[in-house]
Amino acid sequence: MNFQDFSDSESEFEDLQFLALTILLMKKRKKRRYWVHPVNRKKELKGEFHCLVKELKSDDERFHQYFRLSKTQVNEIHSLIELDIKKIHTKFRKPIGTRERLAVCLRFLATGNSFRSLGFNYRMGFTTVKVIAEEVCAAIWKKLSPIVMSKPTGQMWRDIAKDFKNLWHFPNCIGALDGKHVAIICPINAGSTFYNYKNEHSVVLLALVDAHYNFIMIDVGAYGRNSDGGIFQELLMGKMFDRNQLNVPPNKSINGNTNALPYTIVADAAFTLKTYLMKPYSKAKLVNNDHNKIFNYCLSRACRTVENAFGILRARFRVFQGPLQVQPYMADKIILAACCLHNFLSPNTQETEGILSQEIEINSSNALIDIGSLNRNPSQDAIQVREAYKTYFVSSEGQVSWQFQAIRRSN
């Protein structure tokens, strides 16, 4: 036997081994008992969509409580994503309708119920519910994000800055920035990658929010173990701000007596001080310095808009009340879809003013909490910009009537 014959024999033996192993696995595989479970065959007669949801259409209030959206809003979303979630009708089985698929996803976001629980309610397979939620969330982000979260323009930044000055008394502010850790179950083979300082696994939602709690820009999916400031620096959002690629208008004077100052975003101490990003003074610089405390207080009030946005998002969509029972790739889709729906359900001016009135009465000691002194090396230009804003807040033109009472309470 020559070498070529030996190689051919070895290859044939390996093929036979593979074939035998495949046959063995097929024998051990549990046979599927049903193509459609008998319980699920009654979906159109007793399923929740065909019974309860149909009845809720005659009661606007209960319909809104069930979906967190009105009938008009649900219909509008359905018209946007219908073609993206539609399935082809085959001769073997009838596909689940697009309205029912949307209903399953919205109910999942509104309640956070497990896929198994929703499967029993809607008389669907548990895996089917999961696939529907994933596909509909992806379609919502694809179709709705260009409408409710479009790329900012110069005029848009100016309008946002005007709202921040009128509502939160912070001039030239174009957004509040922060990160929210969205808890998830322990991912498969992830190790400590998603394990955060709260001793739980999470993905990070980094968001820039306007004065009315709407998301201007978001990024989802960063590892939970990373800090908010570090995430911002590495993301495209942070790099575009650094390179001035987001149509931010040129510097503008905050009053008639000062030099032009850059438009800025506000954030907490976890971020790095930049000319376009204002953060609070460290704890060491608050000792016997009321002016620094006043700046921290004014900045903290503006920063509350992003915290309020996260709170509204969590209250509207109870899927965020506990850890998401999904893997990170699907958690990202859920968060993106929920943020789009949040903007789609944008709170009106009365709701914003209602929360604002509560903010003024809040114990001001919370506004002066310093997260801690971090090892940062802010540029001299950024320090000078912060000093200029501080000077404005302690002047007669920039101060609010309750700020001195606020810092006295914190002492």
Side-chain angles (χ1 to χ4, degrees):
M1 178 183 288
N2 58 32
F3 180 77
Q4 182 65 37
D5 294 336
F6 178 79
S7 298
D8 292 342
S9 299
E10 186 177 12
S11 177
E12 290 177 3
F13 178 72
E14 289 177 351
D15 290 342
L16 289 172
Q17 274 189 319
F18 178 76
L19 180 60
L21 181 60
T22 303
I23 294 173
L24 181 63
L25 291 174
M26 290 178 67
K27 287 182 178 180
K28 288 186 175 181
R29 183 180 296 174
K30 185 178 180 181
K31 291 185 178 180
R32 186 168 183 171
R33 290 187 298 169
Y34 310 105
W35 182 249
V36 178
H37 195 281
V39 172
N40 296 340
R41 292 172 188 167
K42 300 178 182 179
K43 176 168 63 72
E44 296 186 1
L45 294 175
K46 298 183 179 180
E48 196 161 301
F49 177 78
H50 298 277
C51 295
L52 178 60
V53 175
K54 185 177 180 180
E55 293 178 10
L56 290 177
K57 291 180 181 179
S58 61
D59 190 321
D60 292 340
E61 182 179 355
R62 286 184 175 270
F63 186 95
H64 189 278
Q65 291 173 350
Y66 185 85
F67 285 120
R68 299 291 196 271
L69 289 88
S70 68
K71 286 186 291 186
T72 302
Q73 291 164 338
V74 170
N75 289 334
E76 187 173 348
I77 292 173
H78 177 263
S79 66
L80 287 172
I81 68 172
E82 180 179 6
L83 295 180
D84 292 82
I85 63 175
K86 188 175 183 179
K87 297 299 179 180
I88 299 174
H89 194 296
T90 68
K91 63 180 181 179
F92 298 105
R93 65 188 303 187
K94 181 181 178 181
I96 298 172
T98 53
R99 290 187 180 277
E100 189 170 2
R101 291 167 65 83
L102 176 59
V104 169
C105 180
L106 292 179
R107 187 59 178 168
F108 167 68
L109 295 175
T111 63
N113 289 348
S114 68
F115 298 132
R116 185 176 295 272
S117 176
L118 290 169
F120 281 121
N121 293 341
Y122 281 82
R123 293 184 180 249
M124 296 179 183
F126 311 140
T127 304
T128 301
V129 174
K130 176 182 178 296
V131 172
I132 287 175
E134 181 179 348
E135 292 178 349
V136 175
C137 281
I140 289 173
W141 168 253
K142 176 184 175 182
K143 294 296 187 181
L144 205 56
S145 60
I147 300 172
V148 300
M149 221 178 295
S150 58
K151 184 177 179 179
T153 62
Q155 186 56 48
M156 178 179 170
W157 290 128
R158 293 187 187 93
D159 292 340
I160 292 171
K162 182 179 178 181
D163 289 337
F164 265 103
K165 184 172 183 180
N166 292 338
L167 293 172
W168 303 99
H169 308 94
F170 202 112
N172 280 18
C173 178
I174 55 174
L177 179 70
D178 201 4
K180 175 177 176 58
H181 287 263
V182 180
I184 60 175
I185 58 173
C186 181
I188 299 172
N189 299 325
S192 61
T193 304
F194 293 91
Y195 199 69
N196 63 26
Y197 68 97
K198 298 180 179 179
N199 298 322
E200 61 187 14
H201 297 274
S202 66
V203 294
V204 179
L205 162 61
L206 190 73
L208 184 68
V209 173
D210 69 14
H212 295 282
Y213 321 126
N214 297 313
F215 295 111
I216 305 169
M217 302 175 68
I218 61 173
D219 190 275
V220 179
Y223 298 143
R225 70 178 182 181
N226 296 333
S227 68
D228 295 345
I231 293 170
F232 179 69
Q233 292 298 323
E234 295 299 321
L235 291 179
L236 180 61
M237 185 194 308
K239 292 177 180 178
M240 292 183 76
F241 268 110
D242 263 334
R243 299 166 186 167
N244 194 22
Q245 297 176 333
L246 288 171
N247 302 317
V248 177
N251 298 0
K252 178 185 176 183
S253 174
I254 55 179
N255 60 32
N257 303 320
T258 61
N259 294 327
L261 291 176
Y263 284 87
T264 184
I265 56 183
V266 294
D268 61 29
F271 294 85
T272 303
L273 183 66
K274 304 275 189 178
T275 54
Y276 62 82
L277 193 156
M278 294 290 101
K279 59 177 280 186
Y281 287 98
S282 64
K283 188 175 181 179
K285 294 184 179 181
L286 297 181
V287 179
N288 299 323
N289 193 323
D290 286 351
H291 288 183
N292 287 359
K293 292 180 180 179
I294 287 173
F295 174 85
N296 278 16
Y297 173 72
C298 294
L299 181 136
S300 181
R301 289 190 70 248
C303 280
R304 285 201 191 115
T305 56
V306 66
E307 296 296 340
N308 289 342
F310 291 150
I312 294 170
L313 181 72
R314 187 173 184 270
R316 278 177 172 163
F317 303 108
R318 296 183 65 85
V319 69
F320 299 117
Q321 297 285 336
L324 297 178
Q325 304 295 311
V326 296
Q327 293 302 303
Y329 79 93
M330 186 170 175
D332 295 350
K333 295 179 181 180
I334 293 170
I335 298 167
L336 290 171
C339 288
C340 281
L341 292 173
H342 170 91
N343 279 13
F344 183 72
L345 300 172
S346 174
N348 57 38
T349 305
Q350 289 182 347
E351 289 177 306
T352 306
E353 292 176 347
I355 296 178
L356 176 61
S357 64
Q358 297 175 22
E359 295 291 337
I360 296 174
E361 300 299 328
I362 287 177
N363 187 333
S364 59
S365 60
N366 293 333
L368 297 171
I369 293 174
D370 186 82
I371 294 178
S373 182
L374 303 176
N375 293 323
R376 307 292 190 199
N377 294 307
S379 68
Q380 193 61 36
D381 289 342
I383 293 174
Q384 291 177 357
V385 170
R386 184 167 65 176
E387 289 293 317
Y389 274 103
K390 180 182 70 175
T391 301
Y392 169 78
F393 289 128
V394 299
S395 68
S396 58
E397 182 178 357
Q399 66 181 244
V400 290
S401 59
W402 59 86
Q403 67 186 25
F404 295 102
Q405 180 183 4
I407 65 169
R408 281 196 296 269
R409 289 178 182 174
S410 67
N411 291 332

